[in-house]
């Protein structure tokens, strides 16, 4: 039966503007940063680090918002719930997302913390080291939720990064209940190992309660969630707890386990890795778009791999190429 929902996916996530700058390994070392990781910083540190960065490019980001931007480029109907402030970066974020056709009507916050920003240092090997000031995004709470919007989407997609703040964590738990009441599926992306390290018990409880239908994780996040050191053991352990598990493994491709059936694809070939920012987000965009089209899991994985490949061949997390044409050329 065809879906009667207006949206393929409605996501709840951090509303962030990315500030990207090229950096050498010496800057990473002098700042005592862990290359390829993400850390949370306060307003003072954001100001100090920004001053230490080289020339930068500003573009809207946020993990779940990046996924929706990719899905919109693939022709899917999406909506977003996230909190910005009434400031210049808030206007930039709103414009960038809605201009793609994504529904975003969460009222901007007047007063309080400014719109969130992520300072991203991109080293010559394409690795991105992210320093995130959450600002207004972490104040997303009950009043930001749109119950009708959530009920009108086939899938509610939740960003793990938002699990760190009390208000947004409560709002996401409430959103799960709204989606369940409407008979919709819930997808969750773990976002980062530090998120899993801090809230793994919550996520394991949610899986046991069958509150998550689709789980996205990279290899490191999966190991942390399963509390295993071996990928295969972790995959088997977590797959037993969710109807659909999708695990990405960088250059080693991706694996999905759907109701016990395992499917794998390799990574798409690429000449040069320019910037890995948004690779996982765009993989999810391709995969979820495939699901929305009713494709087989192998095609969903392939669509995810194509989108991830396109995004790491450029700077920034929003596609600058025709994703729809790239997927069509790959799948025929």
């Amino acid at each position: 039966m065809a879906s009667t929902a207006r949206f393929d996916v409605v996501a709840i996530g951090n509303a962030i503007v990315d500030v990207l700058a090229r950096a050498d390994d010496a800057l990473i070392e002098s700042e005592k940063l862990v290359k390829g990781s993400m850390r949370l910083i306060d307003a003072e540190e954001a100001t100090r680090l920004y001053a230490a960065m080289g020339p930068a490019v500003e573009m809207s980001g946020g993990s779940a918002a990046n996924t929706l931007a990719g899905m919109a480029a693939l022709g899917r109907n999406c909506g977003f719930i996230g909190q910005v402030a009434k400031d210049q970066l808030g206007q930039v974020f709103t414009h960038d997302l809605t201009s793609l056709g994504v529904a975003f009507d969460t009222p901007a916050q007047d007063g309080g913390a400014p719109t969130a920003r992520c300072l991203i240092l991109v080293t010559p090997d394409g690795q991105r080291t992210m320093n995130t000031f959450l600002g207004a995004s972490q104040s997303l709470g009950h009043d930001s939720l749109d119950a009708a919007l959530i009920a009108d989407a086939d899938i509610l997609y939740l960003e793990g990064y938002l699990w760190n703040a009390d208000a947004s964590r409560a709002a996401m738990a409430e959103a799960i209940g709204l989606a369940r009441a409407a008979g919709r599926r819930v997808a969750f992306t773990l976002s980062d190992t530090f998120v899993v390290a801090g809230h793994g018990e919550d996520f394991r409880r949610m899986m046991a309660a069958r509150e998550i239908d689709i789980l996205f994780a990279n290899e490191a996040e999966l190991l942390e969630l399963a509390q295993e050191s071996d990928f295969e053991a972790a995959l088997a352990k977590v797959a037993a707890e969710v109807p659909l598990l999708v695990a990405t493994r960088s250059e080693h491709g991706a694996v999905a386990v759907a109701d016990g059936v395992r499917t794998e694809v390799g990574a798409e070939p690429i000449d040069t890795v320019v910037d890995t920012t948004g690779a996982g987000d765009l993989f999810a965009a391709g995969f979820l778009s495939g699901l929305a089209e009713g494709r087989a899991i192998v095609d969903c994985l392939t669509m995810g791999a194509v989108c991830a490949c396109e995004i790491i061949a450029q700077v920034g997390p929003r596609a600058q190429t025709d994703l729809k044409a790239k997927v069509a050329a790959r799948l025929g």
Side-chain angles (χ1 to χ4, degrees):
M1 180 182 297
S3 172
T4 59
R6 178 185 172 195
F7 298 100
D8 298 305
V9 170
V10 163
I12 301 178
N14 282 321
I16 296 178
V17 175
D18 291 339
V19 181
L20 299 101
R22 293 288 180 187
D24 54 24
D25 289 335
L27 179 60
I28 301 296
E29 293 171 4
S30 67
E31 291 290 338
K32 296 181 172 55
L33 303 176
V34 178
K35 186 195 289 189
S37 69
M38 198 285 278
R39 64 170 181 149
L40 297 178
I41 59 176
D42 59 20
E44 182 179 352
E45 174 65 1
T47 299
R48 189 199 65 76
L49 184 59
Y50 182 68
M53 295 170 65
V57 175
E58 295 180 355
M59 57 184 68
S60 295
S63 177
N66 290 338
T67 295
L68 296 188
M71 293 189 70
L74 292 168
R76 309 318 308 176
N77 295 321
C78 302
F80 181 70
I81 297 172
Q83 190 64 63
V84 297
K86 280 189 176 180
D87 55 22
Q88 183 178 1
L89 288 185
Q91 292 174 353
V92 168
F93 181 91
T94 301
H95 170 269
D96 287 353
L97 197 58
T98 57
S99 66
L100 297 173
V102 177
F104 175 42
D105 300 312
T106 310
Q109 178 177 281
D110 194 1
T115 297
R117 70 285 317 266
C118 182
L119 308 180
I120 303 175
L121 302 174
V122 183
T123 41
D125 57 2
Q127 288 295 312
R128 80 283 185 272
T129 304
M130 300 186 293
N131 305 271
T132 305
F133 169 55
L134 290 172
S137 68
Q138 64 184 333
S139 63
L140 183 143
H142 167 79
D143 292 341
S144 301
L145 295 181
D146 185 333
L149 187 68
I150 292 169
D152 209 8
D154 277 330
I155 294 174
L156 171 68
Y157 182 71
L158 303 175
E159 178 185 323
Y161 283 130
L162 265 182
W163 209 259
N164 285 303
D166 292 341
S168 56
R169 182 164 60 250
M172 293 172 82
E174 181 180 350
I176 291 174
L178 292 171
R180 285 277 177 238
R184 306 305 189 185
R185 288 180 291 176
V186 175
F188 197 97
T189 178
L190 294 176
S191 295
D192 198 285
T193 52
F194 88 85
V195 176
V196 185
H199 304 286
E201 284 303 316
D202 281 350
F203 302 153
R204 288 185 281 271
R205 175 193 55 75
M206 291 160 66
M207 290 189 300
R210 292 297 189 261
E211 294 177 358
I212 299 174
D213 300 293
I214 305 167
L215 181 67
F216 289 91
N218 65 27
E219 184 168 359
E221 293 158 3
L222 188 70
L223 294 174
E224 181 69 37
L225 181 65
Q227 298 183 311
E228 297 280 355
S229 59
D230 176 73
F231 174 77
E232 292 297 333
L235 188 74
K237 188 173 183 178
V238 176
E241 297 293 325
V242 290
L244 175 54
L245 170 62
V246 184
T248 57
R249 307 187 72 190
S250 299
E251 70 272 17
H252 300 298
V255 183
V257 182
D259 296 321
V261 179
R262 176 174 177 154
T263 307
E264 291 187 63
V265 300
E268 293 291 300
I270 182 172
D271 293 329
T272 304
V273 175
V274 175
D275 175 15
T276 56
T277 306
D281 305 335
L282 269 292
F283 185 96
F287 189 93
L288 290 170
S289 294
L291 282 187
E293 294 172 12
R295 291 180 178 267
I297 294 296
V298 66
D299 285 349
C300 295
L301 287 170
T302 300
M303 288 175 68
V306 169
C307 292
C309 182
E310 287 299 304
I311 216 66
I312 65 176
Q314 62 163 62
V315 173
R318 301 286 172 92
Q320 298 163 27
T321 56
D322 188 340
L323 290 182
K324 199 170 186 179
K326 295 290 184 178
V327 167
R330 177 66 173 82
L331 292 179

